[in-house]
Amino acid sequence: MDRSTVSWRNTTHDWARSVDAEHLALVRENGAFFAPGGLPHLLLEVLAYAADEAECLGGGRCTVTLYADGSVSVADEGRGTDTRFDDHGRPVKKPVMATKDLRFFDHPDAQVLPDGHPRRGMSVVAALSEWLVHTNRRAGGAWAQRYVHGVPATGLTPVADDGTTGTTVHFSPAEALPALPALTASWPHLSVEIDDRRARSPRTSQSAESRDRP
């Protein structure tokens, strides 16, 4: 990464590191500890970021899609993942997938997710997924990036700008989803819809829980 990123202010992640291989290895070696309960906890980790955006914007919604191949995606309508340009004009996205979340991962008072376990961050989801595709739509452009066990497998690949903003995280965990967890119990600003494509006759756009508007 360009040295210009070293001076960027870190709020949630360290801009100076694009990949923290030791951190990802630690998560993979201790999956039961960092993601107790497996896939339901990973899903809540992703939804927590959508909830952050919804709270910041005064309300929002997202769609959880369950695919026949066992993969899951969460698509929100927030502002998109922070992406900046270094001194050479190259796009640099906040390393949310491949480095630790400075707010939660090592914090003894980390936010507790609806399943009663601590929030650790998106890097846990990426590290414990066979693959993950992060699609980002932001006012300054849209791109996608693929990860394998948390390590970037591609660069930022431009995608067509459809005029919307938001983030989609599509990931393939090592295990199937046994049952949906309580999706919005702790997030009153977030409305969640479920698109279950696992069955032969998909159930689409079923509202999981309603948002309590302020």
Side-chain angles (χ1 to χ4, degrees):
M1 185 175 289
D2 190 90
R3 289 183 60 84
S4 62
T5 61
V6 174
S7 63
W8 292 354
R9 179 169 176 260
N10 298 326
T11 53
T12 66
H13 296 77
D14 185 354
W15 284 95
R17 305 188 70 175
S18 59
V19 179
D20 187 340
E22 292 182 2
H23 166 69
L24 295 172
L26 175 67
V27 173
R28 289 195 298 269
E29 292 167 3
N30 299 276
F33 177 77
F34 291 115
L39 178 51
H41 182 82
L42 297 182
L43 178 56
L44 291 174
E45 290 277 12
V46 183
L47 283 166
Y49 282 87
D52 288 345
E53 281 294 290
E55 183 175 2
C56 181
L57 298 173
R61 63 177 183 172
C62 71
T63 300
V64 175
T65 303
L66 310 175
Y67 294 92
D69 65 357
S71 65
V72 181
S73 71
V74 178
D76 68 44
E77 299 177 352
R79 298 162 296 177
T81 304
D82 192 0
T83 305
R84 306 177 185 180
F85 292 88
D86 65 18
D87 289 347
H88 299 283
R90 297 172 298 198
V92 179
K93 59 106 171 73
K94 183 183 290 188
V96 297
M97 300 295 173
T99 68
K100 69 177 66 176
D101 193 311
L102 303 175
R103 300 168 296 174
F104 307 120
F105 191 80
D106 293 321
H107 202 295
D109 298 320
Q111 175 186 347
V112 175
L113 295 175
D115 61 0
H117 298 294
R119 182 178 179 182
R120 305 290 188 180
M122 280 300 309
S123 62
V124 170
V125 181
L128 296 178
S129 295
E130 295 179 2
W131 55 261
L132 180 150
V133 177
H134 180 191
T135 302
N136 185 52
R137 298 185 182 278
R138 198 166 170 86
W143 50 260
Q145 186 169 31
R146 184 181 178 88
Y147 296 77
V148 175
H149 295 296
V151 179
T154 69
L156 302 187
T157 304
V159 298
D161 188 349
D162 62 3
T164 66
T165 61
T167 302
T168 300
V169 178
H170 187 185
F171 62 103
S172 180
E175 62 179 56
L177 181 67
L180 284 173
L183 297 180
T184 61
S186 298
W187 303 311
H189 294 88
L190 182 68
S191 174
V192 181
E193 292 184 343
I194 308 299
D195 182 357
D196 191 345
R197 303 182 183 182
R198 296 172 298 177
R200 185 167 298 177
S201 299
R203 294 182 292 113
T204 59
S205 298
Q206 292 191 349
S207 177
E209 295 186 40
S210 300
R211 179 178 67 226
D212 296 325
R213 295 183 180 275

